[in-house]
Amino acid sequence: MSNTGEQILQTEYSEIMQKSYIDYAMSVIVARALPDVRDGLKPVQRRTLYDMYELGIRYDKPYRKSARIVGDTMGKYHPHGDSSIYGALVVMAQEFKYGMPLVDGHGNFGSIEGDGAAAMRYTEARLQKITQQAYLADLDKDVVDFIPNFDATEKEPSVLPVRIPNILVNGAEGIAVGMATSIPPHNLGEVIDGVIAYMKDPDITTEEMLEIIPGPDFPTGGIVINKDELKDVYATGSGKIRLRGKVEIEPMKGGKERIVISEIPYTMIGANIGKFLNDVYGLVESKKTTDIVDISNQSSKEGIRIVIELKKGADAENICNLLYKKTRLEDTFGVNMLAVAGGRPETMGIVDIIRYNVQFQYELATRKYTTLLNKEREKQEIQEGLIKACDVIDLIIEILRGSKNVKQAKACLVEGKTEGIKFRSKLSQKTASMLHFTERQATAILEMRLYKLIGLEIEALIKEHDETMRNIEFYEKVLGSRAAMAKVLMKELKEFRKEFAVPRKTVIENGKAAVYEEKKQEAIPVVVLMDRFGYVKSIDQATYERNKEAADAENRQVISCMSDDRLCLFTDIGQMHLVKMSDVPFGKFRDKGVPVDNICKYSSDAESIVTLLPLAAMKEQKVFFVTAASMVKRVEGAEFDVAKRTTAATKLAEGDRLILVGTVREEDTIVMQSKKNYFLRLPAADIPEKKKSAMGVRGMKLAEGDEVNAAWILDGENNPVVTVNEKEVALNRLRIGSRDTKGVRR
């Protein structure tokens, strides 16, 4: 103990961190990110709706500024910043996000294409009718517990008395610590039918439930194409739903057709519509299809309309399949039906969710009718007292006139005390002493106005009492029988369905897998250009001829081949990487191209490019290799026609590296230059043929510390001149020597 009376506790740091992290995680899970299975709302949504209810912003009242709602919610119930509150308000008003919007927004609340809502000072909102009637009704009947707010100055409901399974109707999404929820929206009418079916048969199976609720109903429509897989998804509460947009093929003038997308997958809303358009542009630019002429987004307030115009004679069905395979026109919605149940997160199937909801409905109804019954019994007590008072009204008036104060009169009415009260006769006094009204009845009698003694008023009082007795009988019946309560709940649910249910938008079926038959593109001659930075592109032959001088001067390699060929990229560590010509961008002469390591497995950090050769030309010839250690060989070009994207082109000794790779003919000659300026010219025919896995033979005898640093293939047309010690050396004039000799020094 210290002098100040403080106690110092020693504990493991790891234990403190663990406890703190668990506390933080549970706070995020329960109090922020996951919805409660009972009302399907996160705390921020619940508090916003309750605040609107408290402010009286009803569906039949004028709109109020969103900033007013946000400020009031933040000040009273949710001290976490205005953006989270306004964000929740906006989403609850977006009909393309919610199956049944809970807020009626007035102004710019964002668009399906990802446009954000206007600032809260510009927009207005009020409750939707369904929110008021099915989410916030009966709050005055003690149906839910109220808890203190963050600073204990206000009370807020721990859960809203939601009468329908909101968690299914509107779905939910949220990321907590170590877990996430993703629940798709469903059709209100179907969900209500499912709840009624469960009330009638609590042992209903998932399969039977799916006959009533066949699957999700997204506000954007679309088509669910894996109907047979939904049973497992809804039984376990997790899985994948495959979605497609709704596509129609319309005829155009001149025999052309266009693809019109009128509904999109739910996962495409927002910025993903723009991404879809860019993906379609990308298919055209990369030559995946040449049948698309134009694409335009003609969407408006009336709905989605994306138009893709096709060439005459194009196979529209095949293009649709391409869009399904290569864009988000077909997408996956990951389902994880995770919600807070009993204060802890739980993954539930559809029947489990409905079971929790029905239990909640019975709890709400029990509390509601208990409150109503108590109120009716209070009314019964007062009414019976007033009726009884009317029968002895003359005596009561005599008591009131003879009493000195209210307390004395009340004591007489309740306990029959007559002391101190002046009566006209002993009989009156004796009768008064026999009175025994209750406290509540006596108070009502003393507060009763004289006009209540009119005959019609007394008749009305008797009728009111009869009505009260009928209500008491009904409430006792409901509270006394589960079946009677279920009947009442089902009747209310049917009324909600009749008033608020809308037709299903999403079609559920077993769709065929999208199979795209790629058109065989006619091969054309092209020229591949690779600059000194390793960027490659291809251009057509005519473009190259027009820019030949600039192309040859600016590029490290200029290769003629066909557009359906493959290129072999050889590197100094003896690797060969295959590059498909379809991956090499085709365009204009001044286009930048792409880095070669983006379209093959070449790594610029670990290896250097020696050369790039077209495979078709290689297969007809021999391929010649020279290494720094002067190992040489010829290999049949067909050996390099392999399926693997990367393969060993040759075997290298440790520390050796490739200097030259090229195609060679029998009549060609080879020149090697060493670092010490020895030159050796050999006939290509003298170089032995080997397998690509072989190391080769020694081509030039090197002095100690010397190595080959350059090599050339001379074919009669290619006669390079090199400068050595400020003297030019014409390589085709070098004397032809023998293999494994030193050569001549220059």
Side-chain angles (χ1 to χ4, degrees):
M1 295 291 288
S2 67
N3 294 332
T4 58
E6 293 178 352
Q7 187 175 5
I8 298 173
L9 298 175
Q10 290 190 343
T11 185
E12 279 289 327
Y13 184 70
S14 59
E15 290 177 11
I16 294 174
M17 288 299 293
Q18 186 177 20
K19 183 181 182 304
S20 299
Y21 188 74
I22 290 171
D23 290 347
Y24 162 72
M26 285 307 295
S27 172
V28 171
I29 290 165
V30 177
R32 198 186 311 171
L34 300 188
D36 191 303
V37 70
R38 295 171 295 174
D39 62 6
L41 298 170
K42 299 178 190 178
V44 64
Q45 296 169 325
R46 185 181 303 120
R47 288 164 176 168
T48 304
L49 293 177
Y50 178 66
D51 186 76
M52 292 176 74
Y53 172 81
E54 282 289 282
L55 289 172
I57 313 173
R58 308 289 199 265
Y59 76 93
D60 53 356
K61 295 288 194 301
Y63 294 95
R64 296 280 287 275
K65 283 288 184 187
S66 300
R68 173 75 171 89
I69 299 165
V70 170
D72 203 64
T73 305
M74 183 167 58
K76 288 182 180 176
Y77 310 116
H78 197 76
H80 296 292
D82 56 3
S83 59
S84 63
I85 301 168
Y86 187 51
L89 182 73
V90 166
V91 170
M92 288 192 289
Q94 291 177 332
E95 57 187 19
F96 53 85
K97 275 273 186 75
Y98 263 37
M100 190 63 61
L102 304 180
V103 171
D104 180 7
H106 184 242
N108 176 13
F109 274 80
S111 76
I112 194 170
E113 296 180 50
D115 301 315
M120 68 181 88
R121 62 184 178 275
Y122 299 121
T123 61
E124 297 176 324
R126 64 184 177 190
L127 292 171
Q128 289 278 14
K129 188 175 183 180
I130 187 173
T131 316
Q132 196 169 315
Q133 294 186 357
Y135 287 66
L136 295 159
D138 300 331
L139 274 171
D140 57 342
K141 296 181 178 66
D142 190 35
V143 287
V144 294
D145 293 331
F146 277 73
I147 56 176
N149 69 338
F150 62 92
D151 62 358
T153 58
E154 301 276 348
K155 293 279 189 180
E156 61 175 303
S158 58
V159 63
L160 289 187
V162 178
R163 308 302 307 281
I164 55 176
N166 177 59
I167 200 166
L168 289 176
V169 173
N170 281 322
E173 57 182 40
I175 300 172
V177 178
M179 58 185 69
T181 186
S182 180
I183 304 173
H186 296 78
N187 184 271
L188 174 67
E190 293 172 358
V191 170
I192 288 175
D193 289 340
V195 173
I196 292 171
Y198 177 84
M199 285 182 170
K200 291 178 178 176
D201 178 17
D203 296 321
I204 190 169
T205 64
T206 302
E207 205 165 350
E208 290 168 335
M209 187 61 77
L210 287 183
E211 291 177 10
I212 303 164
I213 309 173
D217 186 23
F218 296 101
T220 53
I223 304 165
V224 171
I225 61 167
N226 61 333
K227 182 179 180 181
D228 289 346
E229 296 173 15
L230 296 185
K231 182 185 172 185
D232 288 337
V233 174
Y234 281 102
T236 62
S238 63
K240 291 180 179 177
I241 293 172
R242 286 172 56 213
L243 279 167
R244 280 182 185 167
K246 185 179 177 184
V247 173
E248 294 170 355
I249 297 166
E250 296 180 355
M252 295 174 65
K253 291 180 182 177
K256 293 182 181 180
E257 289 182 317
R258 63 184 170 207
I259 296 169
V260 178
I261 300 163
S262 55
E263 294 177 7
I264 58 172
Y266 187 65
T267 52
M268 200 198 280
I269 59 177
N272 286 324
I273 293 179
K275 187 178 185 308
F276 167 74
L277 299 174
N278 287 332
D279 288 344
V280 177
Y281 296 142
L283 292 174
V284 175
E285 287 178 357
S286 62
K287 303 292 182 185
K288 293 286 182 190
T289 178
T290 56
D291 290 334
I292 295 176
V293 175
D294 186 37
I295 177 169
S296 58
N297 186 2
Q298 300 174 10
S299 304
S300 63
K301 289 182 179 179
E302 280 67 46
I304 292 290
R305 183 177 169 85
I306 298 171
V307 179
I308 300 170
E309 293 184 19
L310 305 179
K311 276 183 183 175
K312 188 175 181 179
D315 185 345
E317 291 287 346
N318 199 37
I319 299 299
C320 286
N321 285 337
L322 174 67
L323 297 177
Y324 290 144
K325 286 181 75 71
K326 299 292 185 182
T327 72
R328 297 190 81 157
L329 191 59
E330 180 179 317
D331 207 356
T332 300
F333 183 97
V335 176
N336 188 29
M337 297 203 284
L338 180 73
V340 176
R344 63 187 184 87
E346 185 179 333
T347 301
M348 295 164 272
I350 191 166
V351 176
D352 294 327
I353 288 175
I354 290 175
R355 181 180 295 114
Y356 273 114
N357 181 263
V358 170
Q359 288 173 1
F360 183 52
Q361 295 311 314
Y362 281 125
E363 287 172 20
L364 292 177
T366 301
R367 292 182 66 161
K368 173 184 175 180
Y369 288 110
T370 299
T371 301
L372 290 174
L373 178 61
N374 291 335
K375 285 184 178 178
E376 290 299 309
R377 281 177 173 160
E378 287 177 14
K379 283 169 70 177
Q380 176 197 1
E381 183 184 339
I382 292 168
Q383 288 164 354
E384 287 176 352
L386 292 176
I387 291 168
K388 183 180 171 185
C390 287
D391 292 339
V392 290
I393 192 65
D394 293 334
L395 176 62
I396 289 170
I397 291 170
E398 195 174 332
I399 292 167
L400 294 175
R401 292 182 69 179
S403 299
K404 294 176 181 176
N405 52 49
V406 174
K407 187 177 178 183
Q408 196 177 49
K410 193 171 185 180
C412 181
L413 292 173
V414 175
E415 301 170 32
K417 291 182 180 180
T418 57
E419 295 84 359
I421 301 174
K422 293 179 181 178
F423 290 94
R424 290 180 182 174
S425 66
K426 290 286 184 183
L427 179 62
S428 295
Q429 186 173 1
K430 186 178 179 182
T431 308
S433 66
M434 298 168 67
L435 294 175
H436 53 274
F437 290 99
T438 66
E439 284 277 345
R440 195 176 280 117
Q441 288 173 337
T443 302
I445 291 167
L446 292 170
E447 291 175 353
M448 183 177 67
R449 298 192 177 187
L450 286 175
Y451 76 86
K452 289 286 184 183
L453 299 175
I454 299 170
L456 289 175
E457 289 292 331
I458 294 170
E459 284 181 24
L461 180 62
I462 293 169
K463 281 184 181 178
E464 196 178 320
H465 178 253
D466 293 341
E467 178 69 25
T468 300
M469 295 308 293
R470 283 194 294 271
N471 287 342
I472 289 172
E473 183 184 2
F474 174 68
Y475 297 152
E476 286 177 339
K477 181 183 175 184
V478 170
L479 290 168
S481 164
R482 184 94 164 181
M485 187 177 285
K487 193 175 178 182
V488 170
L489 291 173
M490 286 190 278
K491 182 184 176 186
E492 291 175 348
L493 285 170
K494 287 174 183 175
E495 289 171 358
F496 287 138
R497 182 182 60 188
K498 184 178 178 182
E499 184 169 2
F500 300 112
V502 293
R504 166 173 277 279
K505 294 178 181 176
T506 301
V507 175
I508 296 176
E509 62 185 26
N510 285 311
K512 293 180 182 177
V515 178
Y516 173 66
E517 295 177 7
E518 197 165 345
K519 272 189 181 178
K520 194 76 177 173
Q521 296 290 328
E522 188 178 341
I524 59 169
V526 294
V527 176
V528 178
L529 307 176
M530 182 171 73
D531 65 18
R532 59 195 178 92
F533 300 107
Y535 280 73
V536 293
K537 65 188 175 195
S538 63
I539 57 176
D540 62 54
Q541 197 78 39
T543 303
Y544 171 69
E545 294 298 337
R546 287 196 304 271
N547 300 276
K548 187 176 186 306
E549 191 175 330
D552 292 345
E554 294 171 10
N555 290 285
R556 174 179 172 178
Q557 275 194 267
V558 178
I559 304 159
S560 294
C561 63
M562 298 301 288
S563 60
D564 61 350
D565 201 354
R566 285 179 290 168
L567 302 175
C568 299
L569 186 149
F570 294 91
T571 70
D572 63 339
I573 62 171
Q575 294 289 305
M576 183 193 81
H577 304 285
L578 276 176
V579 179
K580 291 181 180 178
M581 276 301 299
S582 58
D583 292 334
V584 177
F586 179 85
K588 299 173 183 175
F589 177 64
R590 287 299 170 192
D591 287 350
K592 189 176 183 182
V594 297
V596 72
D597 47 0
N598 282 9
I599 53 176
C600 69
K601 293 188 175 181
Y602 161 72
S603 171
S604 56
D605 295 332
E607 51 192 334
S608 300
I609 298 171
V610 174
T611 194
L612 202 58
L613 297 175
L615 181 60
M618 285 170 57
K619 287 195 291 186
E620 306 297 324
Q621 302 181 58
K622 304 285 192 297
V623 181
F624 179 64
F625 288 80
V626 180
T627 77
S630 184
M631 302 305 289
V632 295
K633 66 177 178 179
R634 286 189 296 162
V635 182
E636 279 286 347
E639 280 199 49
F640 299 98
D641 186 3
V642 293
K644 289 177 72 176
R645 302 251 343 238
T646 296
T647 186
T650 187
K651 186 178 180 182
L652 293 175
E654 189 175 348
D656 199 5
R657 69 184 194 282
L658 266 179
I659 295 296
L660 173 72
V661 182
T663 55
V664 68
R665 298 172 302 177
E666 291 286 323
E667 62 269 23
D668 293 342
T669 59
I670 311 300
V671 176
M672 289 178 282
Q673 178 190 359
S674 79
K675 191 165 66 174
K676 294 183 177 180
N677 292 329
Y678 282 89
F679 287 82
L680 177 61
R681 185 180 178 198
L682 299 171
D686 288 359
I687 309 299
E689 286 189 30
K690 300 281 184 182
K691 292 291 183 185
K692 69 184 176 76
S693 57
M695 195 177 287
V697 298
R698 192 161 69 180
M700 183 181 190
K701 188 180 284 185
L702 297 170
E704 189 175 343
D706 202 3
E707 64 177 17
V708 176
N709 64 354
W712 296 267
I713 297 171
L714 308 186
D715 57 6
E717 295 177 9
N718 176 30
N719 296 310
V721 175
V722 297
T723 302
V724 178
N725 295 327
E726 300 181 356
K727 292 181 182 179
E728 290 187 346
V729 178
L731 300 183
N732 63 337
R733 298 210 177 159
L734 291 171
R735 181 170 54 84
I736 294 177
S738 302
R739 189 179 63 78
D740 202 18
T741 60
K742 280 188 175 183
V744 294
R745 190 169 186 181
R746 286 287 186 268

